[in-house]
Amino acid sequence: MAEYNPVLTAPVGANKKRKIVGRGSSSGLGTTAGKGNKGAQSRSGSPQPYVGFEGGQMPLYRRIAQRGFSNYPFKVEYDVVNLCDIEAKYADGETVSKETLIAKNLVKSKKSLVKLLGTGNITKKVTVSVDKVSKTAKEKVEKAGGSVVEVKKAEKTEKKD
C-alpha cells in the first residue's frame, strides 16, 4: 500500500517567477522596461487610452463612413402560404385571395404581402389572386385546372397605361 502524503504540490511549470522590470540596464529589462521608447503606451497610466485605440493608426470606427445609404426602409417581406395549406383549407372552385386567407387564419394582417409557394400538392381547382407566386406553385395550380393572377403585377401595368 502506498504511503499517504498530506503535502500538495503544483505540477511542473505551473508556478513561474514574476518578471521584475525597471531595475537597471544589467537586469535585462531596465531602461524602458519592455515598453519601447516614448509615446502614450510607454508612460504610466492605462496602456490603452480608449476602446478602439490602434496605437496611433486611424481607428476602424473613424476609417469607415459614418453616413450612407441603407436599403432597409425598402425591404419587402412576404407572408408565405404553401399549396398544402390551400389544399387543406379551401374547397373546389373557391378563390384564394388576401381576404379569404385572413378569414381562414393563414395570413395575419391586410397590410402584409402574400407569396404562394409550391410545397405540397393541390388537386382542387382554385383561382389564386395574391401578390406573388413561385414558378412551381403556378405550374401545380394550373395543372390542377385552376388559374393564377399576381395582384401587384396587375396594378403596375394598370398604372403605366
Side-chain angles (χ1 to χ4, degrees):
M1 188 170 162
E3 287 186 36
Y4 174 71
N5 187 357
V7 180
L8 294 175
T9 55
V12 176
N15 298 328
K16 293 182 179 179
K17 214 173 176 185
R18 191 172 72 95
K19 186 188 284 187
I20 300 170
V21 296
R23 295 293 178 274
S25 58
S26 63
S27 69
L29 285 166
T31 58
T32 57
K35 292 188 171 202
N37 296 312
K38 300 184 183 177
Q41 291 168 315
S42 69
R43 299 194 169 96
S44 65
S46 175
Q48 296 278 321
Y50 54 86
V51 175
F53 180 70
E54 295 186 18
Q57 175 176 304
M58 187 63 72
L60 182 68
Y61 77 91
R62 288 187 62 195
R63 290 197 303 262
I64 295 172
Q66 299 298 308
R67 298 180 299 146
F69 178 76
S70 172
N71 208 31
Y72 186 79
F74 309 104
K75 185 179 179 183
V76 179
E77 286 188 7
Y78 290 91
D79 277 357
V80 174
V81 179
N82 286 304
L83 285 177
C84 57
D85 300 329
I86 291 171
E87 180 71 25
K89 298 251 183 170
Y90 283 85
D92 201 23
E94 275 190 284
T95 303
V96 178
S97 65
K98 195 182 289 187
E99 292 76 26
T100 59
L101 288 165
I102 291 165
K104 295 183 188 258
N105 292 326
L106 292 172
V107 175
K108 291 171 187 164
S109 71
K110 289 182 182 179
K111 291 180 182 178
S112 61
L113 298 171
V114 179
K115 182 169 182 177
L116 181 66
L117 298 181
T119 304
N121 292 313
I122 190 159
T123 55
K124 297 169 183 170
K125 187 178 177 181
V126 291
T127 305
V128 179
S129 175
V130 292
D131 300 304
K132 210 166 189 182
V133 181
S134 74
K135 189 176 169 184
T136 54
K138 189 173 184 177
E139 288 171 4
K140 287 180 180 180
V141 169
E142 288 172 351
K143 188 177 178 184
S147 61
V148 176
V149 178
E150 289 188 37
V151 177
K152 287 288 177 191
K153 286 186 180 177
E155 285 178 12
K156 285 179 185 175
T157 53
E158 288 172 18
K159 286 178 185 175
K160 287 180 184 176
D161 294 337

